[in-house]
Amino acid sequence: MSTISSIANNTYMMYKFASQNGLSLTGGTTNASSRSLASISSSYAKAKSSSSSMFSSSDAISTAESDLKTLSSVREGYAGLVSSYIDTKNTFNTEMKSTLSDLSDSAAVVKNMNYDFSASDIQTDASGKPSYSDGLKAAIGNVESLVSDYNDALSFFSDNKEVSKRASGLATEFADTTYRADSYAAIGINVDSKTGALSVDEDKLAKALTTESSRTENLLGKNGLSGKAESHVSLAKFQQDKVFPSMSSMLGNETTVASLYTGRTLQNISGYATTGNLINMLF
């Protein structure tokens, strides 16, 4: 009876796994679509106490056949759970990689762009509306791209901060723009005091680029926003494989037990049940 008892114990672990995580691994509710845990355990206990032979009890054989079906359903449910986890993790990692790549590219552009502008790069028409030189337009566009990509990264980690401690930590890192809010504002980069999100005042930025080019470069270049963005990207990439939690940490250690229900395991269990039927027919 040791084999049947072992099956009963593993079945218990699977039902515990499903119950703790609010999941149905048998295609329906754990109470309605299959026999209850108490019933399964009771049947095995009864079979074990009624005979010293593994195959002398027809109840034990019937129970083994029934629970083989249950275990097959459990295996299918577990496979679906694993597939769902893998899909979610892949989607998360793909979006994270793309977001960081975009920010890295735009940060590199702003860090290395030309900051040598003068008042002549801004012209004013008869109505008083300013117009910018092509070079100044390009520089402003580069900064706007950096701000947009930075906000995307900030939003990604803020929206997913509950996923893991690492994601929460990265959300905090990207929101650190508030400590330089006053300095950024002076060159036309406004900071949301609650979220750390950035926005661009184009006219103010144009004026800063043409009248305070050194200061603007210091605040936006390698020692400023673009350098900070690259630092955050490096930190996030270093942790990339660990930001999304492992399946066991999300769903509990019972997944280890669930994973034991492989095809070979079920074949062995099926073999026990079939052999039991043959013996039962002979006697």
Side-chain angles (χ1 to χ4, degrees):
M1 294 299 293
S2 60
T3 301
I4 292 180
S5 297
S6 176
I7 296 172
N9 181 64
N10 287 342
T11 303
Y12 167 80
M13 292 298 294
M14 283 301 299
Y15 274 78
K16 179 181 177 184
F17 163 72
S19 176
Q20 285 182 341
N21 295 284
L23 300 170
S24 170
L25 300 182
T26 56
T29 61
T30 54
N31 291 329
S33 65
S34 62
R35 296 185 309 135
S36 69
L37 167 62
S39 174
I40 290 176
S41 298
S42 175
S43 296
Y44 279 122
K46 181 180 178 181
K48 180 180 179 181
S49 62
S50 65
S51 174
S52 60
S53 172
M54 178 176 176
F55 303 114
S56 62
S57 170
S58 60
D59 287 341
I61 301 304
S62 176
T63 298
E65 291 174 330
S66 174
D67 288 334
L68 173 60
K69 296 179 180 179
T70 297
L71 295 180
S72 295
S73 296
V74 167
R75 182 194 176 204
E76 291 175 2
Y78 174 71
L81 187 65
V82 171
S83 177
S84 178
Y85 167 82
I86 291 173
D87 287 346
T88 303
K89 180 178 180 179
N90 288 342
T91 298
F92 179 93
N93 285 341
T94 297
E95 184 175 351
M96 178 176 168
K97 182 178 180 180
S98 175
T99 299
L100 294 177
S101 178
D102 289 345
L103 179 56
S104 180
D105 290 344
S106 59
V109 170
V110 171
K111 183 179 71 172
N112 298 307
M113 76 177 189
N114 174 40
Y115 285 87
D116 187 19
F117 298 102
S118 65
S120 63
D121 287 289
I122 300 178
Q123 299 294 321
T124 304
D125 61 21
S127 64
K129 183 179 179 179
S131 62
Y132 310 133
S133 66
D134 291 341
L136 185 56
K137 284 182 182 178
I140 293 172
N142 292 338
V143 175
E144 289 176 333
S145 293
L146 171 59
V147 165
S148 177
D149 291 339
Y150 192 97
N151 286 341
D152 286 345
L154 172 60
S155 295
F156 175 79
F157 290 110
S158 294
D159 292 344
N160 292 288
K161 63 183 179 182
E162 300 301 328
V163 168
S164 67
K165 290 183 178 179
R166 292 179 185 274
S168 179
L170 289 170
T172 300
E173 287 290 328
F174 277 93
D176 73 351
T177 52
T178 55
Y179 86 100
R180 300 193 76 175
D182 291 341
S183 297
Y184 287 145
I187 62 169
I189 309 296
N190 300 313
V191 180
D192 187 302
S193 60
K194 293 182 179 180
T195 65
L198 307 172
S199 61
V200 178
D201 182 326
E202 187 175 295
D203 291 338
K204 200 170 184 178
L205 175 59
K207 183 178 180 180
L209 285 167
T210 57
T211 62
E212 299 180 282
S213 58
S214 294
R215 181 188 183 190
T216 305
E217 182 175 5
N218 186 58
L219 288 169
L220 295 178
K222 64 179 181 180
N223 296 317
L225 181 60
S226 59
K228 180 65 69 175
E230 288 185 330
S231 176
H232 292 338
V233 168
S234 295
L235 177 62
K237 285 184 175 180
F238 180 76
Q239 303 180 62
Q240 186 161 341
D241 293 337
K242 299 178 181 179
V243 174
F244 197 85
S246 66
M247 186 172 180
S248 61
S249 65
M250 289 187 73
L251 302 175
N253 293 329
E254 286 81 2
T255 54
T256 302
V257 177
S259 66
L260 296 177
Y261 288 99
T262 61
R264 180 170 295 278
T265 302
L266 291 176
Q267 287 173 11
N268 291 338
I269 295 173
S270 177
Y272 292 135
T274 303
T275 302
N277 271 335
L278 292 173
I279 294 176
N280 194 48
M281 290 172 63
L282 292 173
F283 295 94

